[in-house]
Amino acid sequence: LEELISDGVDGRYVLVRSDLNVPLDNGRVADDGRIRASIPTIGKLVEHGAKVIIMAHLGRPKGTPDEKYSLQPAADRLDELAPFAVEFAADVVGDSAHELAASLASGSVLVLQNIRFDPRETSKNDDDRLALARELAGLTGDNGAYVDDAFGAVHRRHASVYDIAEVLPAYQGDLVHTEVEVLKRLTENPEQPYVVVLGGSKVSDKLAVIENLMDRADYLLVGGGMVFTFLAAQGYKVGASLLEADQIENVKGYLSRAKEVGCEFVLPTDIVVADKFAADADVDVVPADAMEDSRFGASGIGLDIGPDSAAAFAEKIGSGKTIFWNGPMGVFEFDAFADGTRTIAQALKDSSGFSVVGGGDSAAAVRKLGFSDSDFGHISTGGGASLEYLEGKKLPGLTVLDQ
Ligand code: 3PG
């Protein structure tokens, strides 16, 4: 970004890809973390007199305009939060985008409608995506530039992330830069002890991350819905809890390989079991190896790690110099099952190590539980993107900038 700014952006069109993919609740932004995180890069360009056009997506519409996925609420929130004014185009590369772009003043910002309303954005066909990229570049006159600041989308080979960088001079935004530096700290010689905390519902989403981080981490703490597959792999009965039976063999393999590579898996020793998946469920706390001894027998559902486990996890986190956490420990959306996640968040906050909260759900969870971004070393804006980076994958939105 510094390089682009020093080349001069005054009066020049700059297309910025931001990640404004935020959760909505009745048409209002429910968590504005990503919007806040996008402001510094846009703000720098505005300060230096650029005409900024923002491309972003919201949700996964089917390549056609759909009011439910309008980017307008996110653009409005950006307008409220940012020190600059924000205009909104009703389409992606149609009349509205062209008219508003043409009259855009230096130091002003225009947000285009949800880029995924155009089917070419996510097309598998290279020519289609390139055609959209060319039309987007057409909004920028003859001296446009492109800045990728959408860390959360760098794992997508999409027109506004990848192909556009082949059409316009391309630069890395400050957010992408910061996120990559943080992820490097987690993968290239992390300071030890290195504690990784994984949760969330499915172990199948985390296989590659587990494999890649096992070689680096000293402790791998597991909670969330995925833990029941670990407990089942140890031969425990898990009642009606979430279980991926087809992953049990994989998990057994991890548990034995961990010993060889010197990584210790830490599993919960107690579980909060409920009679139903509901906010007002009846609950019981039982040992992890005797879940079906709860009052609900084999129909009990594990919905959070128990207090002893949370305390043990917190102690391990406290010993870490580097801590990475992805995925809630329980169904934090219901108060009765939020304690595990809250204890882990508090332990990261109290830690004197470098603590990173990765990804969409975990970031939303800590904010919902009343923590703020400054409580942690870093809260990543990337869900899938951070995980894919930690899996060791090459991410199209980053490699294209290197090229
Ligand atoms: C995310 O929410 O992880 C990013 O915005 C990417 O969204 P996607 O998974 O729909 O591509």
Side-chain angles (χ1 to χ4, degrees), residues 19 21 34 57 59-60 116 152-153 155-156 158 381-385:
D19 185 359
N21 188 23
R34 281 180 165 165
H57 75 281
R60 293 180 180 169
R116 291 187 183 172
H155 58 319
R156 302 292 182 215
H158 291 169
T381 54

